[in-house]
Structure formats: C-alpha cells, structure tokens
PDB file of all heavy atoms in Angstrom:
ATOM      1  N   ILE A   1      73.812  86.548 114.350  1.00  0.00           N
ATOM      2  CA  ILE A   1      73.642  87.495 113.351  1.00  0.00           C
ATOM      3  C   ILE A   1      74.926  87.335 112.411  1.00  0.00           C
ATOM      4  O   ILE A   1      75.689  88.291 112.301  1.00  0.00           O
ATOM      5  CB  ILE A   1      73.495  88.949 113.819  1.00  0.00           C
ATOM      6  CG1 ILE A   1      72.530  89.061 114.940  1.00  0.00           C
ATOM      7  CG2 ILE A   1      73.161  89.901 112.497  1.00  0.00           C
ATOM      8  CD1 ILE A   1      71.059  89.035 114.475  1.00  0.00           C
ATOM      9  N   PRO A   2      75.263  86.149 111.900  1.00  0.00           N
ATOM     10  CA  PRO A   2      76.430  86.056 111.103  1.00  0.00           C
ATOM     11  C   PRO A   2      76.440  86.774 109.649  1.00  0.00           C
ATOM     12  O   PRO A   2      75.261  87.036 109.272  1.00  0.00           O
ATOM     13  CB  PRO A   2      76.642  84.568 110.954  1.00  0.00           C
ATOM     14  CG  PRO A   2      75.247  83.990 110.977  1.00  0.00           C
ATOM     15  CD  PRO A   2      74.559  84.914 112.038  1.00  0.00           C
ATOM     16  N   THR A   3      77.590  87.229 109.294  1.00  0.00           N
ATOM     17  CA  THR A   3      77.624  87.726 107.886  1.00  0.00           C
ATOM     18  C   THR A   3      77.649  86.557 106.847  1.00  0.00           C
ATOM     19  O   THR A   3      78.550  85.700 106.964  1.00  0.00           O
ATOM     20  CB  THR A   3      78.922  88.574 107.772  1.00  0.00           C
ATOM     21  OG1 THR A   3      78.839  89.657 108.726  1.00  0.00           O
ATOM     22  CG2 THR A   3      79.037  89.092 106.258  1.00  0.00           C
ATOM     23  N   ALA A   4      76.653  86.523 106.034  1.00  0.00           N
ATOM     24  CA  ALA A   4      76.628  85.521 105.059  1.00  0.00           C
ATOM     25  C   ALA A   4      77.374  85.918 103.674  1.00  0.00           C
ATOM     26  O   ALA A   4      77.877  85.018 103.028  1.00  0.00           O
ATOM     27  CB  ALA A   4      75.179  85.261 104.641  1.00  0.00           C
ATOM     28  N   GLU A   5      77.395  87.261 103.449  1.00  0.00           N
ATOM     29  CA  GLU A   5      78.101  87.640 102.266  1.00  0.00           C
ATOM     30  C   GLU A   5      78.620  89.115 102.417  1.00  0.00           C
ATOM     31  O   GLU A   5      77.854  89.915 103.171  1.00  0.00           O
ATOM     32  CB  GLU A   5      77.101  87.631 101.000  1.00  0.00           C
ATOM     33  CG  GLU A   5      77.731  88.059  99.757  1.00  0.00           C
ATOM     34  CD  GLU A   5      76.830  87.989  98.609  1.00  0.00           C
ATOM     35  OE1 GLU A   5      75.574  87.604  98.780  1.00  0.00           O
ATOM     36  OE2 GLU A   5      77.213  88.316  97.479  1.00  0.00           O
ATOM     37  N   ILE A   6      79.745  89.345 101.861  1.00  0.00           N
ATOM     38  CA  ILE A   6      80.247  90.780 101.961  1.00  0.00           C
ATOM     39  C   ILE A   6      80.998  91.071 100.707  1.00  0.00           C
ATOM     40  O   ILE A   6      81.781  90.170 100.226  1.00  0.00           O
ATOM     41  CB  ILE A   6      81.073  91.027 103.202  1.00  0.00           C
ATOM     42  CG1 ILE A   6      81.376  92.520 103.374  1.00  0.00           C
ATOM     43  CG2 ILE A   6      82.391  90.269 103.282  1.00  0.00           C
ATOM     44  CD1 ILE A   6      81.928  92.961 104.812  1.00  0.00           C
ATOM     45  N   GLN A   7      80.795  92.283 100.056  1.00  0.00           N
ATOM     46  CA  GLN A   7      81.560  92.687  98.915  1.00  0.00           C
ATOM     47  C   GLN A   7      82.059  94.040  99.312  1.00  0.00           C
ATOM     48  O   GLN A   7      81.316  94.901  99.803  1.00  0.00           O
ATOM     49  CB  GLN A   7      80.488  92.869  97.733  1.00  0.00           C
ATOM     50  CG  GLN A   7      79.931  91.556  97.285  1.00  0.00           C
ATOM     51  CD  GLN A   7      78.834  91.793  96.257  1.00  0.00           C
ATOM     52  OE1 GLN A   7      78.148  92.773  96.185  1.00  0.00           O
ATOM     53  NE2 GLN A   7      78.496  90.752  95.500  1.00  0.00           N
ATOM     54  N   THR A   8      83.330  94.197  98.937  1.00  0.00           N
ATOM     55  CA  THR A   8      84.005  95.516  99.270  1.00  0.00           C
ATOM     56  C   THR A   8      84.770  96.066  98.169  1.00  0.00           C
ATOM     57  O   THR A   8      85.529  95.224  97.529  1.00  0.00           O
ATOM     58  CB  THR A   8      84.888  95.293 100.599  1.00  0.00           C
ATOM     59  OG1 THR A   8      84.114  94.664 101.632  1.00  0.00           O
ATOM     60  CG2 THR A   8      85.421  96.671 101.047  1.00  0.00           C
ATOM     61  N   ARG A   9      84.844  97.330  98.026  1.00  0.00           N
ATOM     62  CA  ARG A   9      85.672  97.916  96.996  1.00  0.00           C
ATOM     63  C   ARG A   9      86.399  98.971  97.785  1.00  0.00           C
ATOM     64  O   ARG A   9      85.797  99.848  98.337  1.00  0.00           O
ATOM     65  CB  ARG A   9      84.842  98.582  95.913  1.00  0.00           C
ATOM     66  CG  ARG A   9      85.745  99.389  95.086  1.00  0.00           C
ATOM     67  CD  ARG A   9      85.201  99.397  93.562  1.00  0.00           C
ATOM     68  NE  ARG A   9      86.254 100.043  92.774  1.00  0.00           N
ATOM     69  CZ  ARG A   9      86.557  99.615  91.605  1.00  0.00           C
ATOM     70  NH1 ARG A   9      86.042  98.653  91.097  1.00  0.00           N
ATOM     71  NH2 ARG A   9      87.484 100.457  90.849  1.00  0.00           N
ATOM     72  N   PHE A  10      87.761  98.884  97.702  1.00  0.00           N
ATOM     73  CA  PHE A  10      88.732  99.878  98.259  1.00  0.00           C
ATOM     74  C   PHE A  10      88.965 100.981  97.335  1.00  0.00           C
ATOM     75  O   PHE A  10      89.405 100.676  96.249  1.00  0.00           O
ATOM     76  CB  PHE A  10      89.817  99.209  98.875  1.00  0.00           C
ATOM     77  CG  PHE A  10      89.611  98.128  99.765  1.00  0.00           C
ATOM     78  CD1 PHE A  10      89.596  96.772  99.333  1.00  0.00           C
ATOM     79  CD2 PHE A  10      89.157  98.251 101.037  1.00  0.00           C
ATOM     80  CE1 PHE A  10      89.212  95.676 100.223  1.00  0.00           C
ATOM     81  CE2 PHE A  10      88.832  97.264 101.939  1.00  0.00           C
ATOM     82  CZ  PHE A  10      88.912  95.939 101.531  1.00  0.00           C
ATOM     83  N   HIS A  11      88.793 102.165  97.771  1.00  0.00           N
ATOM     84  CA  HIS A  11      88.973 103.364  96.815  1.00  0.00           C
ATOM     85  C   HIS A  11      90.247 104.073  97.134  1.00  0.00           C
ATOM     86  O   HIS A  11      90.937 104.660  96.173  1.00  0.00           O
ATOM     87  CB  HIS A  11      87.845 104.427  96.953  1.00  0.00           C
ATOM     88  CG  HIS A  11      86.542 103.745  96.374  1.00  0.00           C
ATOM     89  ND1 HIS A  11      86.233 103.802  95.033  1.00  0.00           N
ATOM     90  CD2 HIS A  11      85.590 102.950  96.949  1.00  0.00           C
ATOM     91  CE1 HIS A  11      85.103 103.138  94.802  1.00  0.00           C
ATOM     92  NE2 HIS A  11      84.733 102.656  95.998  1.00  0.00           N
ATOM     93  N   ALA A  12      90.746 104.228  98.417  1.00  0.00           N
ATOM     94  CA  ALA A  12      91.832 104.960  98.787  1.00  0.00           C
ATOM     95  C   ALA A  12      92.342 104.443 100.174  1.00  0.00           C
ATOM     96  O   ALA A  12      91.484 104.060 100.895  1.00  0.00           O
ATOM     97  CB  ALA A  12      91.528 106.488  98.903  1.00  0.00           C
ATOM     98  N   PRO A  13      93.655 104.482 100.324  1.00  0.00           N
ATOM     99  CA  PRO A  13      94.152 104.029 101.620  1.00  0.00           C
ATOM    100  C   PRO A  13      93.888 104.988 102.757  1.00  0.00           C
ATOM    101  O   PRO A  13      93.707 106.127 102.660  1.00  0.00           O
ATOM    102  CB  PRO A  13      95.685 104.053 101.463  1.00  0.00           C
ATOM    103  CG  PRO A  13      95.968 104.923 100.345  1.00  0.00           C
ATOM    104  CD  PRO A  13      94.697 105.042  99.475  1.00  0.00           C
ATOM    105  N   SER A  14      93.840 104.417 103.972  1.00  0.00           N
ATOM    106  CA  SER A  14      93.648 105.140 105.260  1.00  0.00           C
ATOM    107  C   SER A  14      94.970 105.019 105.990  1.00  0.00           C
ATOM    108  O   SER A  14      95.565 103.928 106.013  1.00  0.00           O
ATOM    109  CB  SER A  14      92.480 104.699 105.972  1.00  0.00           C
ATOM    110  OG  SER A  14      91.155 104.814 105.296  1.00  0.00           O
ATOM    111  N   ARG A  15      95.253 106.074 106.758  1.00  0.00           N
ATOM    112  CA  ARG A  15      96.584 106.059 107.451  1.00  0.00           C
ATOM    113  C   ARG A  15      96.298 106.317 108.963  1.00  0.00           C
ATOM    114  O   ARG A  15      95.268 106.800 109.338  1.00  0.00           O
ATOM    115  CB  ARG A  15      97.463 107.175 106.904  1.00  0.00           C
ATOM    116  CG  ARG A  15      97.751 106.995 105.438  1.00  0.00           C
ATOM    117  CD  ARG A  15      98.804 107.970 104.926  1.00  0.00           C
ATOM    118  NE  ARG A  15      99.038 107.875 103.478  1.00  0.00           N
ATOM    119  CZ  ARG A  15      99.538 106.848 102.811  1.00  0.00           C
ATOM    120  NH1 ARG A  15      99.957 105.870 103.550  1.00  0.00           N
ATOM    121  NH2 ARG A  15      99.590 106.739 101.475  1.00  0.00           N
ATOM    122  N   HIS A  16      97.314 105.772 109.735  1.00  0.00           N
ATOM    123  CA  HIS A  16      97.195 106.004 111.237  1.00  0.00           C
ATOM    124  C   HIS A  16      96.863 107.461 111.604  1.00  0.00           C
ATOM    125  O   HIS A  16      97.513 108.340 111.064  1.00  0.00           O
ATOM    126  CB  HIS A  16      98.609 105.623 111.707  1.00  0.00           C
ATOM    127  CG  HIS A  16      98.605 105.491 113.185  1.00  0.00           C
ATOM    128  ND1 HIS A  16      99.795 105.599 113.924  1.00  0.00           N
ATOM    129  CD2 HIS A  16      97.715 105.432 114.104  1.00  0.00           C
ATOM    130  CE1 HIS A  16      99.549 105.449 115.224  1.00  0.00           C
ATOM    131  NE2 HIS A  16      98.284 105.395 115.349  1.00  0.00           N
ATOM    132  N   GLY A  17      95.823 107.583 112.397  1.00  0.00           N
ATOM    133  CA  GLY A  17      95.316 108.881 112.786  1.00  0.00           C
ATOM    134  C   GLY A  17      94.155 109.553 111.949  1.00  0.00           C
ATOM    135  O   GLY A  17      93.552 110.508 112.402  1.00  0.00           O
ATOM    136  N   ASP A  18      93.886 108.885 110.788  1.00  0.00           N
ATOM    137  CA  ASP A  18      92.742 109.341 110.075  1.00  0.00           C
ATOM    138  C   ASP A  18      91.441 109.279 110.784  1.00  0.00           C
ATOM    139  O   ASP A  18      91.267 108.326 111.603  1.00  0.00           O
ATOM    140  CB  ASP A  18      92.651 108.601 108.738  1.00  0.00           C
ATOM    141  CG  ASP A  18      93.640 109.040 107.693  1.00  0.00           C
ATOM    142  OD1 ASP A  18      94.428 109.976 107.906  1.00  0.00           O
ATOM    143  OD2 ASP A  18      93.642 108.358 106.554  1.00  0.00           O
ATOM    144  N   ALA A  19      90.616 110.274 110.622  1.00  0.00           N
ATOM    145  CA  ALA A  19      89.281 110.165 111.259  1.00  0.00           C
ATOM    146  C   ALA A  19      88.220 109.809 110.197  1.00  0.00           C
ATOM    147  O   ALA A  19      87.779 110.563 109.316  1.00  0.00           O
ATOM    148  CB  ALA A  19      88.927 111.586 111.790  1.00  0.00           C
ATOM    149  N   LEU A  20      87.898 108.485 110.215  1.00  0.00           N
ATOM    150  CA  LEU A  20      86.942 107.860 109.333  1.00  0.00           C
ATOM    151  C   LEU A  20      85.475 108.035 109.833  1.00  0.00           C
ATOM    152  O   LEU A  20      85.323 108.081 111.020  1.00  0.00           O
ATOM    153  CB  LEU A  20      87.193 106.433 109.032  1.00  0.00           C
ATOM    154  CG  LEU A  20      88.586 106.069 108.592  1.00  0.00           C
ATOM    155  CD1 LEU A  20      88.667 104.478 108.395  1.00  0.00           C
ATOM    156  CD2 LEU A  20      88.904 106.762 107.222  1.00  0.00           C
ATOM    157  N   VAL A  21      84.579 108.080 108.971  1.00  0.00           N
ATOM    158  CA  VAL A  21      83.200 107.972 109.230  1.00  0.00           C
ATOM    159  C   VAL A  21      82.574 106.885 108.543  1.00  0.00           C
ATOM    160  O   VAL A  21      82.640 107.020 107.265  1.00  0.00           O
ATOM    161  CB  VAL A  21      82.351 109.321 109.138  1.00  0.00           C
ATOM    162  CG1 VAL A  21      80.948 109.147 109.340  1.00  0.00           C
ATOM    163  CG2 VAL A  21      82.986 110.382 109.986  1.00  0.00           C
ATOM    164  N   LEU A  22      82.118 105.849 109.143  1.00  0.00           N
ATOM    165  CA  LEU A  22      81.346 104.724 108.492  1.00  0.00           C
ATOM    166  C   LEU A  22      79.843 105.116 108.431  1.00  0.00           C
ATOM    167  O   LEU A  22      79.368 105.384 109.576  1.00  0.00           O
ATOM    168  CB  LEU A  22      81.641 103.439 109.017  1.00  0.00           C
ATOM    169  CG  LEU A  22      83.004 102.771 108.768  1.00  0.00           C
ATOM    170  CD1 LEU A  22      84.208 103.470 109.400  1.00  0.00           C
ATOM    171  CD2 LEU A  22      83.040 101.343 109.250  1.00  0.00           C
ATOM    172  N   THR A  23      79.263 105.081 107.352  1.00  0.00           N
ATOM    173  CA  THR A  23      77.847 105.429 107.150  1.00  0.00           C
ATOM    174  C   THR A  23      77.188 104.148 106.758  1.00  0.00           C
ATOM    175  O   THR A  23      77.372 103.595 105.700  1.00  0.00           O
ATOM    176  CB  THR A  23      77.619 106.539 106.113  1.00  0.00           C
ATOM    177  OG1 THR A  23      78.371 107.655 106.556  1.00  0.00           O
ATOM    178  CG2 THR A  23      76.128 106.850 106.083  1.00  0.00           C
ATOM    179  N   LEU A  24      76.241 103.639 107.581  1.00  0.00           N
ATOM    180  CA  LEU A  24      75.536 102.392 107.460  1.00  0.00           C
ATOM    181  C   LEU A  24      73.991 102.751 106.941  1.00  0.00           C
ATOM    182  O   LEU A  24      73.384 103.585 107.612  1.00  0.00           O
ATOM    183  CB  LEU A  24      75.460 101.624 108.695  1.00  0.00           C
ATOM    184  CG  LEU A  24      74.817 100.255 108.732  1.00  0.00           C
ATOM    185  CD1 LEU A  24      75.330  99.314 109.738  1.00  0.00           C
ATOM    186  CD2 LEU A  24      73.334 100.276 108.792  1.00  0.00           C
ATOM    187  N   THR A  25      73.647 102.258 105.890  1.00  0.00           N
ATOM    188  CA  THR A  25      72.303 102.385 105.360  1.00  0.00           C
ATOM    189  C   THR A  25      71.654 101.044 105.013  1.00  0.00           C
ATOM    190  O   THR A  25      72.422 100.042 104.728  1.00  0.00           O
ATOM    191  CB  THR A  25      72.248 103.251 104.100  1.00  0.00           C
ATOM    192  OG1 THR A  25      73.057 102.657 103.149  1.00  0.00           O
ATOM    193  CG2 THR A  25      72.632 104.704 104.364  1.00  0.00           C
ATOM    194  N   GLY A  26      70.422 100.928 105.319  1.00  0.00           N
ATOM    195  CA  GLY A  26      69.761  99.602 105.061  1.00  0.00           C
ATOM    196  C   GLY A  26      69.418  99.615 103.587  1.00  0.00           C
ATOM    197  O   GLY A  26      68.909 100.522 102.995  1.00  0.00           O
ATOM    198  N   ASN A  27      69.630  98.372 103.037  1.00  0.00           N
ATOM    199  CA  ASN A  27      69.341  98.196 101.519  1.00  0.00           C
ATOM    200  C   ASN A  27      68.128  97.351 101.466  1.00  0.00           C
ATOM    201  O   ASN A  27      67.195  97.684 100.706  1.00  0.00           O
ATOM    202  CB  ASN A  27      70.555  97.491 100.918  1.00  0.00           C
ATOM    203  CG  ASN A  27      70.353  97.179  99.502  1.00  0.00           C
ATOM    204  OD1 ASN A  27      69.607  96.393  99.055  1.00  0.00           O
ATOM    205  ND2 ASN A  27      71.118  98.039  98.667  1.00  0.00           N
ATOM    206  N   ARG A  28      67.959  96.244 102.162  1.00  0.00           N
ATOM    207  CA  ARG A  28      66.871  95.298 101.980  1.00  0.00           C
ATOM    208  C   ARG A  28      66.676  94.448 103.313  1.00  0.00           C
ATOM    209  O   ARG A  28      67.682  93.933 103.784  1.00  0.00           O
ATOM    210  CB  ARG A  28      67.064  94.416 100.877  1.00  0.00           C
ATOM    211  CG  ARG A  28      65.985  93.327 100.558  1.00  0.00           C
ATOM    212  CD  ARG A  28      66.284  92.470  99.412  1.00  0.00           C
ATOM    213  NE  ARG A  28      65.264  91.349  99.357  1.00  0.00           N
ATOM    214  CZ  ARG A  28      65.390  90.255 100.138  1.00  0.00           C
ATOM    215  NH1 ARG A  28      66.342  90.049 100.969  1.00  0.00           N
ATOM    216  NH2 ARG A  28      64.385  89.337  99.949  1.00  0.00           N
ATOM    217  N   VAL A  29      65.451  94.336 103.721  1.00  0.00           N
ATOM    218  CA  VAL A  29      65.144  93.406 104.888  1.00  0.00           C
ATOM    219  C   VAL A  29      64.417  92.284 104.257  1.00  0.00           C
ATOM    220  O   VAL A  29      63.252  92.509 103.726  1.00  0.00           O
ATOM    221  CB  VAL A  29      64.255  94.193 105.969  1.00  0.00           C
ATOM    222  CG1 VAL A  29      64.009  93.199 107.128  1.00  0.00           C
ATOM    223  CG2 VAL A  29      65.006  95.389 106.396  1.00  0.00           C
ATOM    224  N   GLY A  30      64.932  91.058 104.454  1.00  0.00           N
ATOM    225  CA  GLY A  30      64.232  89.921 104.003  1.00  0.00           C
ATOM    226  C   GLY A  30      63.592  89.179 105.241  1.00  0.00           C
ATOM    227  O   GLY A  30      63.675  89.685 106.356  1.00  0.00           O
ATOM    228  N   ARG A  31      62.977  88.114 104.921  1.00  0.00           N
ATOM    229  CA  ARG A  31      62.394  87.354 106.065  1.00  0.00           C
ATOM    230  C   ARG A  31      63.381  86.824 107.113  1.00  0.00           C
ATOM    231  O   ARG A  31      63.110  86.850 108.301  1.00  0.00           O
ATOM    232  CB  ARG A  31      61.656  86.131 105.436  1.00  0.00           C
ATOM    233  CG  ARG A  31      60.551  85.516 106.424  1.00  0.00           C
ATOM    234  CD  ARG A  31      59.663  84.549 105.655  1.00  0.00           C
ATOM    235  NE  ARG A  31      60.277  83.281 105.361  1.00  0.00           N
ATOM    236  CZ  ARG A  31      60.419  82.297 106.138  1.00  0.00           C
ATOM    237  NH1 ARG A  31      59.809  82.397 107.336  1.00  0.00           N
ATOM    238  NH2 ARG A  31      60.924  81.129 105.878  1.00  0.00           N
ATOM    239  N   LYS A  32      64.677  86.485 106.624  1.00  0.00           N
ATOM    240  CA  LYS A  32      65.616  85.961 107.464  1.00  0.00           C
ATOM    241  C   LYS A  32      66.997  86.741 107.407  1.00  0.00           C
ATOM    242  O   LYS A  32      67.946  86.388 108.022  1.00  0.00           O
ATOM    243  CB  LYS A  32      65.903  84.475 107.115  1.00  0.00           C
ATOM    244  CG  LYS A  32      64.706  83.566 107.330  1.00  0.00           C
ATOM    245  CD  LYS A  32      65.115  82.135 107.016  1.00  0.00           C
ATOM    246  CE  LYS A  32      63.924  81.190 107.076  1.00  0.00           C
ATOM    247  NZ  LYS A  32      64.355  79.783 106.663  1.00  0.00           N
ATOM    248  N   SER A  33      66.986  87.744 106.596  1.00  0.00           N
ATOM    249  CA  SER A  33      68.243  88.410 106.255  1.00  0.00           C
ATOM    250  C   SER A  33      68.124  89.989 106.257  1.00  0.00           C
ATOM    251  O   SER A  33      66.946  90.465 106.108  1.00  0.00           O
ATOM    252  CB  SER A  33      68.792  87.948 104.966  1.00  0.00           C
ATOM    253  OG  SER A  33      68.007  88.341 103.799  1.00  0.00           O
ATOM    254  N   PHE A  34      69.205  90.662 106.239  1.00  0.00           N
ATOM    255  CA  PHE A  34      69.244  92.052 106.224  1.00  0.00           C
ATOM    256  C   PHE A  34      70.481  92.435 105.451  1.00  0.00           C
ATOM    257  O   PHE A  34      71.618  92.062 105.696  1.00  0.00           O
ATOM    258  CB  PHE A  34      69.429  92.701 107.596  1.00  0.00           C
ATOM    259  CG  PHE A  34      69.498  94.119 107.579  1.00  0.00           C
ATOM    260  CD1 PHE A  34      68.727  95.078 106.994  1.00  0.00           C
ATOM    261  CD2 PHE A  34      70.542  94.785 108.506  1.00  0.00           C
ATOM    262  CE1 PHE A  34      68.888  96.365 107.107  1.00  0.00           C
ATOM    263  CE2 PHE A  34      70.640  96.070 108.560  1.00  0.00           C
ATOM    264  CZ  PHE A  34      69.808  96.986 107.873  1.00  0.00           C
ATOM    265  N   THR A  35      70.188  93.146 104.317  1.00  0.00           N
ATOM    266  CA  THR A  35      71.409  93.605 103.486  1.00  0.00           C
ATOM    267  C   THR A  35      71.650  95.083 103.760  1.00  0.00           C
ATOM    268  O   THR A  35      70.672  95.894 103.662  1.00  0.00           O
ATOM    269  CB  THR A  35      71.106  93.432 101.942  1.00  0.00           C
ATOM    270  OG1 THR A  35      70.877  91.991 101.761  1.00  0.00           O
ATOM    271  CG2 THR A  35      72.326  93.853 101.086  1.00  0.00           C
ATOM    272  N   LEU A  36      72.790  95.441 104.048  1.00  0.00           N
ATOM    273  CA  LEU A  36      73.237  96.815 104.306  1.00  0.00           C
ATOM    274  C   LEU A  36      74.340  97.307 103.492  1.00  0.00           C
ATOM    275  O   LEU A  36      75.189  96.468 103.027  1.00  0.00           O
ATOM    276  CB  LEU A  36      73.521  96.973 105.922  1.00  0.00           C
ATOM    277  CG  LEU A  36      74.588  96.052 106.425  1.00  0.00           C
ATOM    278  CD1 LEU A  36      75.889  96.677 106.494  1.00  0.00           C
ATOM    279  CD2 LEU A  36      74.231  95.431 107.829  1.00  0.00           C
TER     280      LEU A  36
END
C-alpha cells in the first residue's frame, strides 16, 4: 500500500507535548487507488 502522491500544507507549528488529533476522511476510491 505505497503512497503514490502526497500534498501537504502546514498552517501552524506544533510543539513538544501538544496533543494533536489527526482526522482521516476518504476522498475517492479508485479501482487500484485510494485518495484520503
């Protein structure tokens, strides 16, 4: 399940001890791929 493409935009820095929550949503399921 390799990553074929990734685009990222950073909005603000995170610091040691911060409690992040990563929210994953599905965008598109192709015949051979999954964009999230």
Side-chain angles (χ1 to χ4, degrees):
I1 313 282
T3 300
E5 181 177 2
I6 191 165
Q7 299 171 334
T8 308
R9 175 151 184 140
F10 304 101
H11 294 268
S14 297
R15 301 187 187 290
H16 188 195
D18 283 353
L20 304 179
V21 175
L22 280 70
T23 303
L24 184 153
T25 55
N27 182 286
R28 179 184 170 279
V29 181
R31 198 168 74 85
K32 300 178 181 183
S33 65
F34 175 52
T35 301
L36 57 96

